[in-house]
Amino acid sequence: MNTSLLEKILENRNVAAAWKQVKSNKGSAGVDGITIEQFPDYFRPRWPRIKQALLKGYYIPSPVARVEIPKKTGGVRKLGIPTVLDRVIQQAIAQVLNTIFDPGFSEASFGFRPRRSAHGAIRKIHEAVKSGYQYAVDVDIEKFFDNVDHDILMNKVSRKVEDKRVLKLIGKYLRAGVRERDGQTSPSLIGTPQGGPLSPLLSNIMLHELDHEMEGKHYWFARYADDFLVITRNKAEGETILAHITGFLKTKLKLTVNAAKSKVVPIDECKFLGFTFRNKKITWTDESFREFKYTVKRITSRSWGVSMKARLERLSRYVRGWMNYFGISQYYRPIQDIDNWIRRRIRMCYWKMWRKCRTKVRNLVQLGLPIKLAIMNGISSKSYWRPSKTPAVNAAMSNEWLEKQGVVNVKSLWCRAQGYA
């Protein structure tokens, strides 16, 4: 029996842990304008009254603030940002409900779960690829988070949650409404807005029945939130699986499959969570790598007027974050080229920063270049990109020197991600 679940959710220790998590996630203010920094002073004197309202059932969540994030594929992803207070309450709910629901989730479900990640989903698909599976069923659920049916979802939640006060509170969050950018509030009669701590758990609860169905059919699959892939041995079998999943989602969960984006393709043509599989190896997609290069070019742009220290710190954070995720790619070939390219762009930035001929000559000499060679390169009329590759400039601004300045070594990051170091 969990009829006292709300009391457990509102225990001081659980709420304190929820606040710690929300604070670490940072994020912007909701419709009330209260920021993460302002929240503690606002929250402490009001908490007894808020807690009483939650226990008695008359607490009313605020509408979520509409935020639109551009998609890489075009269009926008609509997020709903709750107030900091509602984020803390949702996080407190999620922490307790996770202990109830997570143990029963599928082993093939990897999104928003403790000790699981996108890497686990990629490696599970890779196991199938290595075993000889040659086709992928790529299923795209049409605007999943926007189209979740509240009645179906709450029915699934109520199977394990007996405290009606908790069910009522979750229902209130689902129906809290959306404050549009024009200031109008739209009702939320369907969907579970992305942006709140409770939404990821609710998405897993909603799609657990799909996982169970696919496991019952012995499909080899991996799911991360609403993004999932089924691996099969031939195209005909894949078409049958796609038709089955499409029908199941429509009849059981009232969710629609995007027919234009859902397809059965050879394994080396599929894309999953930013990766693909070529010659039975994990590698990042061309789109992911193009985005990486675009971002590095922006950070190392000659026209970005920031100090070199700030530039290198920003570059280091981005490259480390990118390699933490994409470093599981098993292709070594591009790694050295990436290192060489990044170093050349940083040399170009230094060359631009030094600007005047005498400054270039002075710095080249300080870096150990003979005076004649330093003068010959320093007085060159060539632009910034071409000198960044000359032997003299490379010798002066050596790889070792650049690393001391804070330029990250991509090869080392890749080796660490592969478990070689």
Side-chain angles (χ1 to χ4, degrees):
M1 297 290 287
N2 54 28
T3 53
S4 300
L5 202 61
L6 187 57
E7 281 78 8
K8 187 174 182 180
I9 289 169
L10 298 177
E11 283 178 356
N12 289 342
R13 183 180 299 178
N14 188 55
V15 174
W19 160 239
K20 184 178 180 181
Q21 183 63 47
V22 170
K23 184 180 179 182
S24 69
N25 291 339
K26 300 180 181 178
S28 57
V31 296
D32 61 1
I34 296 171
T35 65
I36 290 285
E37 293 74 24
Q38 296 168 335
F39 180 73
D41 290 337
Y42 167 86
F43 174 79
R44 287 191 189 97
R46 291 171 173 80
W47 173 237
R49 180 168 53 83
I50 295 168
K51 184 175 181 179
Q52 188 68 13
L54 287 162
L55 289 169
K56 296 296 184 181
Y58 55 83
Y59 177 81
I60 305 296
S62 299
V64 297
R66 170 68 75 217
V67 176
E68 294 182 349
I69 307 296
K71 289 183 179 180
K72 301 172 190 174
T73 55
V76 295
R77 175 177 286 107
K78 294 182 178 181
L79 302 183
I81 308 301
T83 63
V84 179
L85 172 59
D86 283 327
R87 294 209 292 271
V88 171
I89 296 170
Q90 286 192 32
Q91 179 65 33
I93 296 170
Q95 287 168 179
V96 172
L97 293 195
N98 257 319
T99 63
I100 296 171
F101 284 95
D102 190 80
F105 286 154
S106 168
E107 287 297 311
S109 170
F110 293 89
F112 314 121
R113 297 182 61 193
R115 296 174 295 281
R116 287 172 171 263
S117 68
H119 286 175
I122 295 297
R123 290 187 172 109
K124 182 170 178 62
I125 296 298
H126 188 223
E127 289 175 17
V129 174
K130 290 190 296 183
S131 299
Y133 286 69
Q134 298 179 342
Y135 281 84
V137 184
D138 188 354
V139 185
D140 183 271
I141 303 176
E142 183 80 41
K143 296 180 179 178
F144 168 72
F145 286 93
D146 295 335
N147 292 319
V148 169
D149 184 283
H150 291 174
D151 290 338
I152 293 176
L153 173 59
M154 291 308 299
N155 176 267
K156 295 182 183 305
V157 175
S158 65
R159 293 175 189 175
K160 290 192 175 183
V161 174
E162 298 174 359
D163 191 329
K164 290 183 170 33
R165 297 168 301 169
V166 175
L167 295 173
K168 184 179 178 181
L169 182 57
I170 294 172
K172 285 181 178 180
Y173 275 116
L174 291 173
R175 298 186 300 274
V178 179
R179 183 72 52 81
E180 303 292 350
R181 291 191 295 175
D182 61 4
Q184 299 296 314
T185 300
S186 303
S188 47
L189 305 177
I190 193 170
T192 171
Q194 290 176 272
L198 195 52
S199 185
L201 173 62
L202 296 179
S203 72
N204 277 333
I205 293 172
M206 185 71 176
L207 291 175
H208 174 63
E209 190 174 348
L210 172 64
D211 295 339
H212 184 70
E213 176 71 10
M214 291 193 291
E215 286 177 331
K217 296 291 184 181
H218 304 290
Y219 296 163
W220 195 318
F221 74 99
R223 181 176 65 80
Y224 189 94
D226 61 326
D227 198 349
F228 66 99
L229 215 59
V230 183
I231 304 302
T232 185
R233 294 192 181 275
N234 58 69
K235 188 171 184 179
E237 185 181 28
E239 296 289 357
T240 301
I241 291 171
L242 178 57
H244 172 239
I245 291 173
T246 300
F248 180 86
L249 287 170
K250 184 177 181 179
T251 57
K252 297 293 186 180
L253 301 180
K254 293 186 181 180
L255 293 169
T256 303
V257 168
N258 187 326
K261 294 183 179 180
S262 300
K263 53 191 177 297
V264 181
V265 294
I267 197 69
D268 58 355
E269 294 179 19
C270 81
K271 298 168 186 175
F272 186 50
L273 303 176
F275 291 90
T276 188
F277 306 88
R278 293 173 185 155
N279 299 322
K280 297 188 176 183
K281 290 185 176 181
I282 303 169
T283 185
W284 54 62
T285 63
D286 294 338
E287 293 84 353
S288 299
F289 190 50
R290 277 198 296 270
E291 183 184 3
F292 170 78
K293 293 190 73 174
Y294 172 76
T295 305
V296 170
K297 281 183 179 180
R298 273 187 27 223
I299 296 172
T300 57
S301 170
R302 300 194 305 265
S303 60
W304 190 28
V306 297
S307 69
M308 188 59 72
K309 180 181 178 182
R311 188 192 300 273
L312 292 177
E313 286 176 352
R314 172 77 181 277
L315 179 66
S316 176
R317 283 197 305 272
Y318 176 71
V319 174
R320 288 180 187 279
W322 199 85
M323 287 301 296
N324 280 344
Y325 185 74
F326 286 101
I328 65 168
S329 169
Q330 296 172 317
Y331 275 86
Y332 172 73
R333 186 181 300 170
I335 299 299
Q336 193 62 57
D337 291 338
I338 294 172
D339 263 329
N340 293 337
W341 176 67
I342 289 176
R343 288 166 184 153
R344 184 178 178 185
R345 291 199 64 84
I346 294 300
R347 290 183 182 111
M348 175 192 69
C349 291
Y350 274 109
W351 203 246
K352 168 75 184 294
M353 184 178 71
W354 293 342
R355 193 178 299 269
K356 294 181 180 180
C357 292
R358 64 173 176 266
T359 306
K360 293 174 182 175
V361 172
R362 184 177 66 250
N363 282 300
L364 290 174
V365 170
Q366 287 177 350
L367 290 171
L369 213 61
I371 183 66
K372 288 186 178 179
L373 198 54
I375 293 172
M376 187 188 310
N377 282 269
I379 64 174
S380 171
S381 61
K382 294 176 183 177
S383 187
Y384 307 107
W385 181 241
R386 289 181 66 185
S388 65
K389 198 178 181 181
T390 61
V393 171
N394 274 253
M397 289 186 274
S398 66
N399 295 350
E400 293 76 15
W401 182 81
L402 288 175
E403 199 161 338
K404 287 178 182 178
Q405 309 315 303
V407 178
V408 291
N409 187 310
V410 175
K411 180 180 176 181
S412 295
L413 295 175
W414 182 82
C415 288
R416 194 175 306 146
Q418 297 293 315
Y420 300 150

